[in-house]
Amino acid sequence: MTAEEYQRIIDNQIILDKKLDGIINELKVIKKDVNTAINNQQLLEEYEMDITERLKRIEKK
């Protein structure tokens, strides 16, 4: 292997590492977004249960 070939391999590895770092960062953002969506869904379900309870109490009056 020549010095040029070796340097090309090193350069390509650096490029791949940067791309992988970008992908990892994007996955972290997606994970945060998914967690936010899950939390929002849980809040909506809690509100729905609370509203249902209030409606039942109103109907009993």
Side-chain angles (χ1 to χ4, degrees):
M1 180 182 311
T2 66
E4 289 177 4
E5 290 172 328
Y6 183 76
Q7 188 58 47
R8 195 171 340 125
I9 290 171
I10 296 298
D11 292 344
N12 286 339
Q13 187 63 46
I14 291 169
I15 291 168
L16 288 174
D17 286 346
K18 288 179 181 178
K19 287 183 179 184
L20 284 174
D21 286 343
I23 291 169
I24 289 170
N25 289 334
E26 288 179 32
L27 287 173
K28 287 178 182 177
V29 170
I30 291 170
K31 181 180 178 182
K32 287 180 186 176
D33 289 347
V34 168
N35 286 335
T36 299
I38 290 170
N39 290 338
N40 288 342
Q41 181 63 34
Q42 289 171 339
L43 283 174
L44 286 172
E45 290 172 4
E46 289 174 16
Y47 290 143
E48 181 182 8
M49 289 176 13
D50 185 47
I51 290 170
T52 302
E53 292 292 322
R54 289 182 183 182
L55 286 173
K56 286 179 183 177
R57 277 189 254 132
I58 291 171
E59 289 173 352
K60 286 182 181 178
K61 291 183 179 181

